[in-house]
Amino acid sequence: MNPVEHLSDRVEAVQLDRGRNRELQRRERVFNDKLRTIGVDKDALDHQVKERREKEQREANELKDYADELLCSDRAACILEQRQKKDDHLLNEAIVQFRQQFQQPASRREFDLNDPELLKKQEGVQILPGLTGEDLAQKDRLRKQQEQLRAWTLQQQDQLERAKQELQQEMHQYDQSRLALDNRALELQKMEEQSKRAAAITTKDFNLALAAEITHRHLQEHHEEEENNQMDILNQLNGDLLMENPEQNISVLGLSRLRRDYYKGMSPKELQQCTQYQLQQAEDRKRAIMEQGEKERQEHHERMTSARAALLLERQQARINKELRRAMDNTNAQLAQAHDDQNKHLQDVYTNIPDERYFTQFNTSSR
């Protein structure tokens, strides 16, 4: 037979699927640490996370600007350091070149004693008459050497003076160029400050004009509002509401209807009827209070009677429990005495203690 699917089975299956889906959703919420920890205040926490990210972004931007300033300062320092190194290198080259040109070994005073070409220069020189090893032209040679040394010294002094003057001139030119660059930087800075000052003045003037315009507009709006309020007050004073026109209470739906927005109070007849109704309500209230008090007194009497009966039952139960406890104590004492008597009897009857031979007779076969 083919199974027949009833409507009730289908409804039950849908309910089971719905319950299973709710259970799965609840399980996802419960076992999801993030959702369980966050709870219902997720919007506030998301707002805090957004503010923290914005704060981190601002700090990162400030750090980036500071890093850019550091890089710019490092570049300027590197440029100045390279310029100083270049100046030192040029000065060292100038010193080396000066030494190569004007401080040769041949210009030294003791060079004739250490000249490697001395023998070659003495070729063809004949020994003068006199003693062997005697230098007859020593005075003339010393005089010539002193004159030559004096000339070389003066020449070197002149060259040193010219080198110093050239170096001073170069340093002066370098200082002039640096002063020119500094002056140019100061001029650019002044121009930038002037432009900023002009922009600030323009912004200030614009803000002042805007503030004046806003103030004028607010004053005009306030004046118009005052006029409208005065006109409204006059209309209210001269209107039917404050003039208390009795005809305005009648509604367009009939004489039995009243307009609530124009109602000024009840008539003497309506006041008398309302007073009678209030007195009737007061009598009904008084009667209800008396009935309620009588009912409460009856309930209090019933509660006292029930409490007295419960107290009597509790005392009777306590007496019964006390008697049962006394009987149980007597029974336990009799049982303890019987147990002691039985132990004394067993000690008198069973006097032999089993030894190892008694236990070796067991488990002697596989059966």
Side-chain angles (χ1 to χ4, degrees), residues 153-170:
T153 303
L154 293 175
Q155 185 179 0
Q156 288 178 0
Q157 289 178 358
D158 295 337
Q159 292 175 356
L160 286 174
E161 290 293 334
R162 285 196 299 271
K164 288 180 180 179
Q165 292 177 1
E166 291 177 358
L167 182 60
Q168 290 178 358
Q169 186 176 2
E170 291 178 358

Side-chain angles (χ1 to χ4, degrees), residues 249-353:
N249 295 333
I250 303 174
S251 175
V252 296
L253 299 177
L255 297 176
S256 61
R257 303 272 183 119
L258 296 176
R259 295 181 61 181
R260 289 177 294 179
D261 53 347
Y262 287 95
Y263 186 68
K264 297 299 180 181
M266 294 186 296
S267 62
K269 184 179 180 179
E270 292 175 349
L271 288 173
Q272 184 178 3
Q273 292 177 356
C274 181
T275 304
Q276 292 177 358
Y277 181 71
Q278 288 178 353
L279 292 174
Q280 184 68 28
Q281 282 185 343
E283 292 178 358
D284 295 339
R285 179 66 178 170
K286 189 185 224 181
R287 190 182 304 108
I289 291 172
M290 293 175 64
E291 292 177 356
Q292 183 69 22
E294 185 66 26
K295 185 177 180 181
E296 289 179 356
R297 285 193 295 273
Q298 292 179 0
E299 290 179 354
H300 179 69
H301 180 69
E302 292 176 357
R303 286 197 299 272
M304 293 298 293
T305 305
S306 300
R308 191 177 296 108
L311 182 60
L312 293 174
L313 289 174
E314 185 177 357
R315 290 178 180 177
Q316 184 180 359
Q317 185 67 31
R319 287 195 297 271
I320 293 172
N321 291 334
K322 188 175 181 181
E323 293 176 357
L324 291 174
R325 182 65 181 173
R326 188 182 296 110
M328 187 180 294
D329 292 339
N330 294 329
T331 304
N332 290 333
Q334 294 175 1
L335 290 174
Q337 185 65 33
H339 184 68
D340 293 337
D341 296 340
Q342 185 179 2
N343 287 333
K344 290 179 180 180
H345 177 69
L346 291 175
Q347 289 177 2
D348 295 337
V349 173
Y350 298 101
T351 57
N352 296 327
I353 298 174

